[in-house]
Amino acid sequence: MIEQMLAFFNSNYHLITIVILSIFLGIEVISRVPAVLHTPLMSGANAIHGVVIIGAIIVMGEAHEGDILSLILGFLAVVLGTLNVVGGFVVTDRMLEMFGKKKKK
Amino acid sequence: MIEQMLAFFNSNYHLITIVILSIFLGIEVISRVPAVLHTPLMSGANAIHGVVIIGAIIVMGEAHEGDILSLILGFLAVVLGTLNVVGGFVVTDRMLEMFGKKKKK
Amino acid sequence: MEQFQELLSTNPFLLLSYLIGSITFIMGLKMLSHPDTARKGNMIAAVGMTLSIFTTIFLYKNHNGEGLHNYGWIFAALVIGTVVGTMAAKKVQMTAMPEMVSLFNGMGGACAMLISLIEYNGDLAPAPGKLLIIVLGMIIGTVSFAGSMIAWGKLNGRIKDRTIPGGQVINFAIFGAVIFLSAMVVGGYTGNHAVFYAILGFAALYGILFVMPIGGADMPVVISLLNSFTGVAAAFGGFLYNNPVMLTGGILVGSAGTILTILMCKAMNRSLMNVLIGSFGAKPGAAGPGGNKEQGNAKEISLNDTAVLMAYAQKVMIIPGYGLAVAQAQHTCHELEKVLTEKGVEVSYGIHPVAGRMPGHMNVLLAEADVPYEKLLEMEDANDQMGGVNVVMILGANDVVNPAAKDDPSSPIYGMPILEVEKADHVIVNKRSMKPGYAGIENELFFRPKTSMLFGDAKKVLQDLVSELKNV
Amino acid sequence: MEQFQELLSTNPFLLLSYLIGSITFIMGLKMLSHPDTARKGNMIAAVGMTLSIFTTIFLYKNHNGEGLHNYGWIFAALVIGTVVGTMAAKKVQMTAMPEMVSLFNGMGGACAMLISLIEYNGDLAPAPGKLLIIVLGMIIGTVSFAGSMIAWGKLNGRIKDRTIPGGQVINFAIFGAVIFLSAMVVGGYTGNHAVFYAILGFAALYGILFVMPIGGADMPVVISLLNSFTGVAAAFGGFLYNNPVMLTGGILVGSAGTILTILMCKAMNRSLMNVLIGSFGAKPGAAGPGGNKEQGNAKEISLNDTAVLMAYAQKVMIIPGYGLAVAQAQHTCHELEKVLTEKGVEVSYGIHPVAGRMPGHMNVLLAEADVPYEKLLEMEDANDQMGGVNVVMILGANDVVNPAAKDDPSSPIYGMPILEVEKADHVIVNKRSMKPGYAGIENELFFRPKTSMLFGDAKKVLQDLVSELKNV
Ligand SMILES: NC(=O)c1ccc[n+]([C@@H]2O[C@H](COP(=O)([O-])OP(=O)(O)OC[C@H]3O[C@@H](n4cnc5c(N)ncnc54)[C@H](OP(=O)(O)O)[C@@H]3O)[C@@H](O)[C@H]2O)c1
Ligand SMILES: NC(=O)c1ccc[n+]([C@@H]2O[C@H](COP(=O)([O-])OP(=O)(O)OC[C@H]3O[C@@H](n4cnc5c(N)ncnc54)[C@H](OP(=O)(O)O)[C@@H]3O)[C@@H](O)[C@H]2O)c1
């Protein structure tokens, strides 16, 4: 078990480094957000994790013609992922449009 | 030329990602430093780039017994790298000790 | 496990577009956290996302050098998602936006869940490392999906808050079951597919029971937390396909989302634990009785007197709160402001950052009624100007003007910054009863000498006030 | 180029220690930028570094599975470096610390340079990618080394500022030569080793000529810039050995150092370009004559009058500046403070963040003289308290009290925050002449009605003042 974990660690070392750097970066980058922007920031971040759609596209695009189950599930996954991405960005933009008016200071 | 560059990009892709994340992180992490800490921060950062000593150790440790030039240059490199690391951290600590007195607020 | 080591593709342009995608996500999040650049930040992230999606479709090749197929299905799905997503996002009312975010977040979670399902079906004997990632991605995606749906239902009122007796214990047991079954599957102790689907079922149940007891008013915090869950689920997808943009995007949202959740709690002076265990938000009923404990006599004021007082004031400040949103009285409030302005009264709004039930709620609410933004004062500015104000009109706000936050170290909201209305000459409070607000605690302000109460539903009272004022 | 793809080692513990090393560097830098955690941050980074070094020595294995040898040499070098480095760092005077930092930075640059040299010698036909990295690492390391040595020489006065006519053009030409020769070597157009060494020579020359014309007072900025160069050089080493801790450590310093350089320039209200081209710092001579242009009459005050004024004041604020450091009068200054305190005068120091020639210079200087830290006021606090001060005593400060920074938009220092001494009742300025300070510009303050000049070397004047005061 431990051996497997170490092997996993080794073979994914660079990815793990990327994960750790990204964690720090995620924290640093938003740590001074004012309270008014909490909702749009949440919404914008929500749209960004829609990047999971790329996985859905790959799954869908690699499914065999005959594999109806995969095709249907993959189709659903792409639709849902697109909803997340597109809806997320659009709704964030609308929020910020409203808030934006308040800005000028 | 361009082909070589693309190949290089491909084979070092994860490292390049790490570089880019580190660039952002370096910027974010220190961007609110107050002016009084400029000198110690510079000095601490100076100690950190002494990590180059690891390269020197590897070079030195892999040099062939007979390769006097490499041994001498490697030896010099390790000495200089150690100076950078040790001197850097110690001098930073001394600076901060002085400044530290000023802190309490 | 060797496939993890390989690069996901050898096409440098695809890799480059992923790198650009990651950079736009970082910049997008950074810009989203500054008021001046937020909108641009959102755009930039959207551009990076679009780029990553299209390069994936056209440039991705698997280990055998084959590109993607099923283009018809893919584009059909993209078009459907885009059309529905855009319409939903465009049509939604400002006040229903947190619901919408929750819904979209659930979609992302479901997408991650489906990917894991398909991968599990497609590869009947995956390496343990890959299986671990598939299982973890599915669990987190499912929890996020199920939880988001409950949060959505709560926010639009379809699902009521209910505390199940012993809920914590049940949740804990389910969580244990999920872990145990996953260890069995990943460790290779069972090859039975039913166990895998049992994990799915338990994870869904966990998501539901996790969100169920939390007070509806705490949903923004919960959504933010589930949002970071979905980020982590996306990152597992990144591991699965060795895909750097999924990885960085997912992790960035995972960590930024966690910090944001904590910041949100801080802004309302609560801890995350507090929110999750539901220590004060969850029991509006329990807090009710406190309202009957009289601490002196609250002074009432008549509509007529209020109208006179306001008409002859030089400066009036309106403090909107959750009650104004509940009463949907923002338009009537704007009306009042216009009538007063015509009479030569200088009117401004004092906006507390966590008034209402989502951050920025009041900004959004008043923007909807076309209140000019120069009139909205942020808390600090409002407090600075409070000294010169003759009449403060509090419309359905309670906690955000509670002096206990400043004076009473034993109060649960002690330390939260508030609007210091007592610096003004007169304070008029409109609410329907003496009941407490969100935090479920008494408000001394109502008994202070400067304060007069004007009971009634905010919309009704404002309408009457406006017609009164026209007669003054 | 294949060797780049491989992991540097298959020992997971070594990899883990590198990951921990990278994390300590990130945390270290973060903590170094907050006053309360700075010292701990430095420690943490040092611990991570130590860990990385020792795991490398014991766990590193090359592609053939061989560990390192030559342990005797390695440890001898480590011990020598540690002893010398510690001693130098412990013995150095506070005021000579920037010199020391420059020296250590140069050592790092030289180390990077040597690594490239050895790698070049060891591998006579490296792949172009590897060769590129070797050459780039060498160039940057060499520039950093040579530049740091010059900066060091300037700071300790061994090297005088001198502008070479047409220097910019020569520098540019050398830079071109470096690029051209590197392209030849890396592109494989020449296999002549002499060309490689020519690059080395030109890079050293470039480093020297780059720093030479920059004013000695600007050296902290230059050192910070060279510091970030060395970081980049270390990162090239990271590429060369596919070593993640060298990579992240180097790049973090490279980017943090660049931002720090810019922040430093901002703090003294200059642009980096401005410093590098030396637009005002470089010509103390040129600025001199400006001092003769009288704009009215500066009022002088006698030592005796100064003593009386101070002795009968309630509050005195001392504003130290570069001149106090030059005169090494910090101990006498502390003396003055003690005498005044004995007489019942309340004494404080107003510390401008960029007074002197390095950030925090005044803090360090006064700490050396054991001035109790409660008496040091940061600029904002000092300005807040200025209103109640009877006598402000300016000791060798000039630019940091120049009202042009606030009043005169055409002034080169316009916008820099200053100590607003004119809010006090009396201002006494001690300096040796009417000559301008670092920025080379007039100071209106000296001609203002509240101001009196007390000419003379700071140490001498303070000594006399102390004995005068003992007689009052
Ligand atoms: N903004 C956020 O992100 C967020 C998220 C979650 C929680 N919170 C919390 O929510 C609270 C917000 O403070 P707040 O002052 O805005 O609201 P509040 O403290 O919740 O008080 C709202 C008041 O409005 C009154 N009200 C309800 N319906 C009304 C109607 N139709 N007409 C007139 N009055 C009505 C209620 O009193 P009656 O019942 O007597 O009428 C209640 O006391 C804070 O404690 C904050 O921490 C904020
Ligand atoms: N702190 C940093 O990091 C840093 C780094 C680089 C540059 N700078 C710049 O340096 C300046 C610092 O301002 P500052 O007000 O401290 O210094 P300043 O503007 O350079 O003025 C120092 C004054 O001290 C006087 N002086 C010199 N030797 C003296 C002696 N022995 N006894 C008495 N007086 C003496 C000089 O006048 P006389 O010749 O007439 O005596 C001179 O006008 C700012 O412009 C800042 O931007 C700061």
Side-chain angles (χ1 to χ4, degrees), chain C residues 97-112:
Chain C
M97 279 188 177
E99 273 160 70
M100 197 87 256
V101 174
S102 182
L103 199 61
F104 290 142
N105 182 50
M107 302 298 103
C111 181

Side-chain angles (χ1 to χ4, degrees), chain C residues 26-303:
Chain C
I26 296 168
M27 286 173 50
L29 283 176
K30 185 168 173 58
M31 292 168 80
L32 269 167
S33 43
H34 294 284
D36 300 333
T37 52
R39 211 171 164 199
K40 218 160 131 199
N42 186 52
M43 300 282 188
I44 287 179
V47 168
M49 182 74 78
T50 314
L51 180 71
S52 302
I53 290 175
F54 282 99
T55 49
T56 303
I57 297 178
F58 295 115
L59 302 180
Y60 179 86
K61 290 210 166 39
N62 67 11
H63 307 307
N64 309 323
E66 294 160 3
L68 297 177
H69 41 272
N70 299 325
Y71 278 163
W73 289 80
I74 293 178
F75 281 107
L78 283 176
V79 169
I80 294 175
T82 305
V83 171
V84 176
T86 311
M87 275 182 15
K90 288 253 174 204
K91 247 186 39 197
V92 64
Q93 285 230 338
M94 272 298 148
T95 37
M97 279 188 177
E99 273 160 70
M100 197 87 256
V101 174
S102 182
L103 199 61
F104 290 142
N105 182 50
M107 302 298 103
C111 181
M113 175 189 80
L114 288 173
I115 292 174
S116 282
L117 276 182
I118 302 171
E119 283 292 328
Y120 182 76
N121 282 328
D123 186 354
L124 290 176
K130 187 174 173 190
L131 192 54
L132 178 68
I133 287 169
I134 288 177
V135 170
L136 286 178
M138 182 193 68
I139 294 174
I140 299 179
T142 308
V143 170
S144 179
F145 167 61
S148 298
M149 290 302 110
I150 302 295
W152 172 70
K154 286 210 170 195
L155 278 175
N156 67 22
R158 265 167 240 218
I159 300 175
K160 296 272 159 284
D161 300 352
R162 91 184 64 219
T163 332
I164 303 142
Q168 301 284 357
V169 179
I170 300 178
N171 266 14
F172 198 74
I174 297 176
F175 187 72
V178 169
I179 299 290
F180 175 74
L181 296 179
S182 306
M184 287 208 3
V185 169
V186 176
Y189 301 107
T190 172
N192 193 334
H193 295 329
V195 179
F196 184 84
Y197 294 108
I199 299 175
L200 181 71
F202 278 125
L205 200 59
Y206 183 77
I208 293 170
L209 295 181
F210 165 67
V211 178
M212 201 53 110
I214 301 173
D218 280 326
M219 281 309 121
V221 176
V222 173
I223 296 172
S224 176
L225 189 66
L226 294 173
N227 184 32
S228 76
F229 282 13
T230 315
V232 176
F236 278 111
F239 257 103
L240 200 55
Y241 300 112
N242 202 342
N243 185 308
V245 76
M246 288 172 76
L247 194 65
T248 45
I251 295 288
L252 279 171
V253 173
S255 83
T258 308
I259 293 297
L260 180 59
T261 310
I262 293 169
L263 291 179
M264 275 183 165
C265 290
K266 263 200 198 144
M268 5 189 177
N269 210 43
R270 303 184 56 185
S271 76
L272 183 54
M273 257 307 133
N274 206 300
V275 168
L276 294 184
I277 299 181
S279 106
F280 64 68
K283 34 185 169 28
N292 303 325
K293 183 181 60 179
E294 295 277 287
Q295 302 174 282
N297 263 326
K299 201 165 53 249
E300 275 198 60
I301 188 170
S302 71
L303 257 172

Side-chain angles (χ1 to χ4, degrees), chain D residues 217 268 322 354 356-359 396 398-399 431-433 438 457-458:
Chain D
M268 4 189 179
Y322 176 62
V354 299
R357 287 297 179 269
M358 61 172 186
N398 189 338
D399 296 341
K431 61 200 294 292
R432 295 164 310 177
S433 66
Y438 172 77
D457 174 77

Side-chain angles (χ1 to χ4, degrees), chain D residues 370-451:
Chain D
D370 281 323
V371 174
Y373 59 85
E374 309 86 16
K375 292 198 183 275
L376 307 188
L377 299 179
E378 282 173 26
M379 181 169 58
E380 290 76 24
D381 300 338
N383 281 338
D384 285 350
Q385 298 187 18
M386 199 67 82
V389 170
N390 307 111
V391 179
V392 162
M393 179 77 185
I394 298 175
L395 295 171
N398 189 338
D399 296 341
V400 298
V401 292
N402 192 335
K406 286 199 73 173
D407 308 335
D408 178 6
S410 73
S411 166
I413 64 167
Y414 182 70
M416 178 168 95
I418 54 160
L419 284 159
E420 292 155 9
V421 291
E422 286 182 290
K423 287 197 212 152
D425 302 338
H426 296 277
V427 178
I428 300 176
V429 179
N430 164 242
K431 61 200 294 292
R432 295 164 310 177
S433 66
M434 291 302 287
K435 285 218 197 99
Y438 172 77
I441 53 169
E442 277 305 321
N443 193 340
E444 259 272 19
L445 177 73
F446 306 153
F447 306 101
R448 293 281 172 93
K450 276 185 186 175
T451 310

Side-chain angles (χ1 to χ4, degrees), chain B residues 23 26 29-30 35 39 42 46 48-49 56 59-63 77 84 86 89 93-95 98-99 101 104, chain D residues 33 39 42 49 62 69-70 86 89-90 92 94 97 105 107-108 111 115 227 230 241 255-256 359 364 373 376:
Chain B
I23 290 175
V29 125
I30 68 141
T39 309
M42 172 172 85
N46 165 56
I48 289 175
H49 68 48
V59 155
M60 170 93 245
E62 292 202 315
N84 185 349
V86 177
F89 282 122
D93 191 59
R94 268 195 67 200
M95 266 185 222
M98 279 299 187
F99 280 63
K101 291 192 192 164
K104 238 180 142 177
Chain D
S33 44
R39 211 167 162 204
N42 186 52
M49 182 74 78
N62 68 10
H69 39 273
N70 299 324
T86 311
K90 287 254 173 203
V92 65
M94 273 298 147
M97 281 192 175
N105 183 51
M107 300 299 102
C111 181
I115 291 174
N227 184 33
T230 314
Y241 299 112
S255 85
V364 164
Y373 59 85
L376 307 188

Side-chain angles (χ1 to χ4, degrees), chain C residues 294-300 434 444 446-449 451 453:
Chain C
E294 295 277 287
Q295 302 174 282
N297 263 326
K299 201 165 53 249
E300 275 198 60
M434 290 302 285
E444 260 273 18
F446 305 155
F447 306 101
R448 294 282 173 92
T451 311
M453 306 296 295

